[in-house]
């Protein structure tokens, strides 16, 4: 899975589970940051959230689940 694929997956799930628009969730989510697997062997990606406390909490809850299934991503 690529970083872009992961972003789209996260946004689609947020819309389905929490409502709102893709633009809103994209703004809150930001870009997926891909790190080197040599130093981040268990999960090589992260995000920098920028939203309300409720929006960030919704994303953090989703990220816990998604990281279990998609812990390693590649650059686009």
């Amino acid at each position: 899975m690529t970083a872009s694929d992961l972003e789209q997956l996260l946004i689609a799930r947020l819309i389905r589970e929490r409502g709102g628009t893709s633009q809103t969730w994209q703004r809150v989510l930001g870009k997926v940051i891909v790190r080197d697997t040599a130093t981040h062997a268990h999960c090589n990606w992260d995000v920098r959230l920028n939203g309300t406390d409720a929006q960030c909490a919704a994303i953090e809850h989703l990220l816990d689940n998604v990281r279990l299934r998609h812990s390693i991503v590649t650059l686009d």
Side-chain angles (χ1 to χ4, degrees), residues 8-69:
Q8 294 306 311
L9 171 82
L10 293 169
I11 291 168
R13 294 228 1 225
L14 286 163
I15 292 169
R16 185 173 51 238
E17 295 174 12
R18 303 291 179 155
T21 66
S22 61
Q23 293 85 3
T24 299
W25 288 115
Q26 178 65 52
R27 187 174 57 251
V28 175
L29 182 63
K31 294 288 182 189
V32 172
I33 301 161
V34 179
R35 305 195 190 283
D36 188 350
T37 55
T39 56
H40 295 81
H42 296 291
C43 183
N44 75 328
W45 60 270
D46 201 2
V47 293
R48 290 203 179 108
L49 304 179
N50 184 27
T52 67
D53 289 342
Q55 289 170 326
C56 292
I59 292 174
E60 286 292 342
H61 178 73
L62 176 61
L63 292 179
D64 291 340
N65 184 307
V66 171
R67 280 190 177 110
L68 293 173
R69 295 191 174 133

